[in-house]
Amino acid sequence: MSINQPPQAAAASAGGAGTPDARQLRAILITVSIALMAVIASVSGLNVAQTHMAVEFGASHTTVLWIINVYTLALAALLLPLGAIGDRLGRKPMLVTGMIIFGAASVVAGLAPSAGVMIAARVAAGISAAMIMPITLAVITSTFPEEERGKAIGVWTGVAGGGGILGMFLSALLVDVADWRWLFVLPVVLVAVALVMALKSVPNSRERSTQSFDTIGALVSTVAVIGLIFVLQEGPERGWTDPVTLISLAVGVIAAVTFVAWELHRRDASLLDVRLFRERGLAGGSITLLVVFGVQAGIAVVLFPFFQAVLGWTGLLSTVAMMPMAVTMMMASGLAPKMAAKIGARSTMTVGIALATLGLALMALFVSVDGGYLSILAGMLAMGIGMGLSMTPSTAAITSSLPRAEQGVASALNDVTREFGTALGVAMLGALLANGYRSAIDGRLDGIPDGAADTAREGIANAVEVAPATGSHAQGLVHAAQQSFVDGWQQSMWIGAAVMAALLLYVALRGPRNTASLQSDAEAAPETGVAQNVAAR
């Protein structure tokens, strides 16, 4: 890892009184993991309550989507600026403040009397989540000693990767046994526990900088992220050629190009030194996380309709069916640091990406209406193991590419990459599935009344809902929709596998440096300079 200060100074900066002992390190890791879980669970939790919110608030489908998406939009847009501010002002104060605001916003959301209040509360929760999320990883990278850091990052990535599925399971359970408003009890409880533990166990660390804060870079990066994430969220609903979509895309692209040009101009005083993307670690880690999280999010888009509309399962049972992939992902994330220490980061990432590619291929080959859950289970397990093995060394490569003084920025970059990947995967694989479904069902609607046929083309859930109105054609229409969904599934999975295969080739040739001893490299490397990337060249 590149450090712009002597080891003794770094330790003092991180902990205030040297390196924490094993007991405090364990408490720190538990604290940041709980805080991260609260943030991640809030990303996906409301998905299971869309119908309930629409009925209670009398809200349109668009409004409900805004309630869900505005949280992610605010979170992604402010990760980089708030991560950098946390480095300067102090990571513990930023973390504590973020958790207090997050908890209060979640309480307001749970009691919201209208959709407008709910949206405002979700914006506040998203902003505070952007204060929490990068700091949780920055606390690990700035506090844990080199020999323990990989294991801690493995736990963090496991929570970040599997937390969304676990959050959806608990959310679905609460909706089934209680009321949708109880969804906000989970993040409030989690953040309250994390807050108490943080006040007691998390040390403060801050970095003094002689450079002024890059205010222009922060503002431009915020505009760029908002524009591009908005396109990915709204494009499928509004249409990719809708004027609002095109304007948002233009604004996002122009702002992104401006950000890169400005950061190159600022050089050592930049918010994010984009020159570091020439290094294998930062580039390889970022691209890997972008693709892996995109595929994971896209898989969720495909799996839930399969469980609910094809297999006829409830929302709760559908989330339970996702658990094997989440559990194997979290377990593999914990094993990845040991594997990387033995065979190297690039080899570990290569094995993980290869397994994830295999998982996609297995699902594409064997998924069927009659085969049900067992036809995709092997693919899900391979996907979970593969993603877990690839995420941890990718995250370590990103954080190791920036100096200790910029760990909030490094962590934020890691998180922004994940959010972009998630939005991109949902938009792309979702669109591929929808197009494949429509193409397949067009040839299976002979004899179906025109109105019902048009409804069935909109999606499998629509086809199942309209089927009873078609009389004797009902069973045939349902079967046609189910088979067409599987056809669309196979098309999207094969394209996903092709993307992962391209990533596999890239990482194998240009991935992070294959070193099995990050610590020895760190000791041998010079301790100054922005481009001195120990773990990832």
Side-chain angles (χ1 to χ4, degrees):
M1 182 176 178
S2 172
I3 309 174
N4 286 344
Q5 53 187 321
Q8 294 86 354
S13 172
T19 303
D21 58 24
R23 183 177 180 180
Q24 186 179 2
L25 289 175
R26 185 165 54 251
I28 292 170
L29 182 57
I30 294 172
T31 301
V32 298
S33 296
I34 294 174
L36 177 64
M37 181 63 189
V39 170
I40 296 296
S42 293
V43 172
S44 57
L46 276 185
N47 282 314
V48 301
Q50 293 187 40
T51 303
H52 300 81
M53 289 189 294
V55 171
E56 183 155 339
F57 292 142
S60 66
H61 179 64
T62 301
T63 300
V64 171
L65 287 180
W66 265 107
I67 291 173
I68 295 171
N69 291 337
V70 74
Y71 174 87
T72 305
L73 191 64
L75 167 62
L78 294 173
L79 281 168
L80 274 178
L82 292 179
I85 292 172
D87 285 335
R88 289 171 173 257
L89 298 184
R91 297 179 180 115
K92 182 173 183 177
M94 180 66 81
L95 179 64
V96 169
T97 303
M99 288 193 289
I100 292 173
I101 298 173
F102 183 87
S106 298
V107 170
V108 172
L111 301 174
S114 67
V117 174
M118 174 68 83
I119 290 175
R122 293 285 286 174
V123 170
I127 294 171
S128 55
M131 301 170 69
I132 298 169
M133 194 172 184
I135 300 303
T136 57
L137 182 56
V139 166
I140 291 174
T141 56
S142 63
T143 304
F144 277 69
E146 192 75 33
E147 63 274 12
E148 298 291 334
R149 193 173 301 146
K151 297 177 184 178
I153 290 176
V155 173
W156 189 95
T157 54
V159 174
I165 298 174
L166 292 174
M168 287 195 72
F169 165 70
L170 294 174
S171 298
L173 179 62
L174 286 170
V175 169
D176 272 13
V177 302
D179 183 80
W180 72 270
R181 291 183 180 274
W182 282 84
L183 294 177
F184 296 98
V185 172
L186 175 63
V188 169
V189 170
L190 288 174
V191 82
V193 172
L195 177 60
V196 173
M197 295 183 67
L199 291 171
K200 180 179 179 181
S201 61
V202 173
N204 189 25
S205 61
R206 60 187 295 265
E207 311 299 339
R208 293 176 177 83
S209 176
T210 58
Q211 306 287 350
S212 61
F213 181 72
D214 185 8
T215 304
I216 293 178
L219 292 174
V220 175
S221 72
T222 300
V223 173
V225 173
I226 289 176
L228 296 175
I229 292 288
F230 182 86
V231 168
L232 295 173
Q233 289 182 344
E234 294 294 309
E237 289 293 320
R238 294 177 178 269
W240 297 106
T241 58
D242 183 84
V244 174
T245 304
L246 294 176
I247 291 172
S248 180
L249 177 61
V251 170
V253 170
I254 292 172
V257 172
T258 304
F259 175 74
V260 172
W262 175 256
E263 297 305 279
L264 288 172
H265 170 72
R266 289 272 298 190
R267 299 179 69 83
D268 293 343
S270 60
L271 179 72
L272 172 64
D273 191 348
V274 295
R275 295 171 295 170
L276 289 175
F277 280 97
R278 293 194 295 258
E279 302 292 339
R280 286 189 172 195
L282 190 58
S286 298
I287 292 173
T288 299
L289 285 183
L290 181 76
V291 175
V292 167
F293 266 79
V295 169
Q296 180 196 20
I299 290 295
V301 170
V302 174
L303 282 177
F304 277 97
F306 178 76
F307 293 146
Q308 294 179 303
V310 176
L311 302 186
W313 292 357
T314 64
L316 179 59
L317 187 56
S318 297
T319 56
V320 172
M322 292 280 287
M323 294 298 288
M325 186 167 71
V327 171
T328 54
M329 185 193 311
M330 298 177 78
M331 292 175 62
S333 295
L335 293 174
K338 297 179 181 179
M339 189 170 174
K342 291 183 178 180
I343 67 174
R346 183 170 61 191
S347 295
T348 303
M349 290 169 64
T350 301
V351 171
I353 296 167
L355 283 172
T357 306
L358 174 63
L360 286 168
L362 288 174
M363 285 191 281
L365 282 170
F366 297 113
V367 63
S368 68
V369 177
D370 295 332
Y373 184 61
L374 293 180
S375 68
I376 62 169
L377 181 58
M380 288 175 58
L381 294 175
M383 276 287 299
I385 296 171
M387 289 188 292
L389 290 179
S390 59
M391 288 190 302
T392 299
S394 299
T395 298
I398 293 173
T399 57
S400 297
S401 298
L402 273 72
R404 183 183 294 271
E406 299 176 16
Q407 283 305 293
V409 174
S411 305
L413 176 62
N414 174 80
D415 298 335
V416 169
T417 303
R418 290 166 180 263
E419 294 301 328
F420 263 119
T422 298
L424 186 62
V426 169
M428 295 297 101
L429 286 181
L432 287 170
L433 174 62
N435 290 334
Y437 168 83
R438 282 193 293 268
S439 298
I441 202 171
D442 274 339
R444 298 183 171 122
L445 294 175
D446 293 339
I448 304 297
D450 290 344
D454 291 339
T455 301
R457 289 187 182 94
E458 295 175 5
I460 185 171
N462 305 80
V464 172
E465 184 176 358
V466 79
T470 63
S472 60
H473 296 287
Q475 189 61 38
L477 178 57
V478 170
H479 180 74
Q482 291 174 335
Q483 189 57 54
S484 298
F485 181 88
V486 168
D487 291 345
W489 168 305
Q490 290 175 317
Q491 176 181 313
S492 60
M493 290 301 98
W494 280 124
I495 293 176
V499 172
M500 290 294 287
L503 175 65
L504 175 63
L505 182 61
Y506 171 80
V507 170
L509 297 177
R510 294 288 302 169
R513 185 160 57 100
N514 225 358
T515 173
S517 179
L518 299 180
Q519 186 176 8
S520 61
D521 283 345
E523 292 170 354
E527 293 181 345
T528 59
V530 295
Q532 291 163 356
N533 173 3
V534 174
R537 287 181 192 174

